[in-house]
Structures are given as C-alpha cells and as structure tokens.
Amino acid sequence: MSGPYLIRGSVSLPEAELLWRFSRSSGPGGQHVNTSDSQVELRFDLARTEALPEVWKARALERLAGRLVDGVIAVRASEHRSQWRNREAAAVRLAALLAEATAPPPKPRRPTRIPRGINERRLREKKQRSDTKRGRTGRDWS
C-alpha cells in the first residue's frame, strides 16, 4: 500500500479500521485468474469510526445513507489483474467517496437583481421589433 489515504486536510483513512476481503475476479487474466483472489472488497465502519470529526461523520452518514449497510460502507474493485493494484484502486475510491460525502454544503445562492438600464433596453428593443413586424402587414397596400 502506498501509505495513508487522505480524505481532506490532515484527516486520513486509518489502516486499522479498514476491512479487506478478497475473492476471484471475472475478466482478463487467462488461466491464472481462476486460481487467484484478485477482486478486492474494502469495508469501512463509518458509524463507529473515531478517525472522522463528529460533524463530518454526521454529514457522511446522512449523504451515504443509501449505500450503508449497518453503518458500514463497502467499495469493490476488480478492474486490474493484480490484487495489489485493486487494493490501491479500492482505497483511493473510498477516500474520494468520503471526501465528497464530508464536504461542507455549498454557500446559498444570493439572488441578484437585473439592472434597470438593461431591463429598459430590452423592453425598448422588443417594442422596436414589434413595430418592425407590425409594419409588415399588408393592410395599407393597394
């Protein structure tokens, strides 16, 4: 493994709280794939972790509620032929998922007003276009 996986700031995934499970993976690999456990499933107990600040944990539990099973989030990786690369991919995916779930909510949009001059110009141009189109009627033609 290439060290701690940062979620955001100085908060990282603790290696002791990660549960790894390996199984046989489908896909490329030839005869060797039938005997090696290259698929990786990474589990992280979000409800009981002490690594995240309480505010982040509450935010993540709320946002990931659909993906959690008893407070545990699972990420699976099987796109690579080697178990080591799949471990890396799963850990990076979990860190990215937690970073997105713990991000603060966006600032509320402050509504802006359209300047009066722009609105007047728009209405003046509409009136001018209306007059142009009204002038195209054939009522006065003989």
Side-chain angles (χ1 to χ4, degrees):
M1 300 287 298
S2 66
Y5 293 95
L6 289 178
I7 295 174
R8 201 170 57 250
S10 63
V11 179
S12 63
L13 286 173
E15 189 67 39
E17 293 186 18
L18 300 178
L19 295 159
W20 300 92
R21 211 174 99 203
F22 308 101
S23 60
R24 293 194 180 133
S25 175
S26 62
Q31 294 172 339
H32 177 66
V33 80
N34 298 329
T35 59
S36 64
D37 294 339
S38 59
Q39 179 174 306
V40 174
E41 184 177 309
L42 175 59
R43 293 173 168 272
F44 181 68
D45 195 345
L46 189 58
R48 293 186 188 88
T49 186
E50 297 297 323
L52 297 176
E54 285 301 317
V55 177
W56 288 19
K57 188 166 34 170
R59 205 179 287 156
L61 285 170
E62 179 185 332
R63 290 181 183 169
L64 297 173
R67 287 192 64 162
L68 296 176
V69 177
D70 296 330
V72 177
I73 186 159
V75 175
R76 189 176 276 162
S78 63
E79 59 265 11
H80 301 291
R81 286 171 62 168
S82 79
Q83 186 186 98
W84 186 80
R85 288 179 67 192
N86 282 331
R87 283 177 64 123
E88 290 284 317
V92 167
R93 202 175 300 155
L94 178 65
L97 187 68
L98 288 174
E100 187 179 329
T102 59
K107 290 182 180 176
R109 183 186 173 277
R110 205 176 91 210
T112 56
R113 285 188 58 233
I114 299 172
R116 196 175 85 206
I118 291 175
N119 209 21
E120 287 175 356
R121 184 175 59 201
R122 181 183 64 86
L123 293 173
R124 190 171 53 247
E125 288 171 358
K126 279 180 66 143
K127 179 77 173 149
Q128 191 176 3
R129 184 77 179 145
S130 168
D131 292 342
T132 302
K133 288 188 171 189
R134 192 177 311 119
R136 291 180 185 159
T137 58
R139 287 184 297 196
D140 298 341
W141 297 355
S142 301

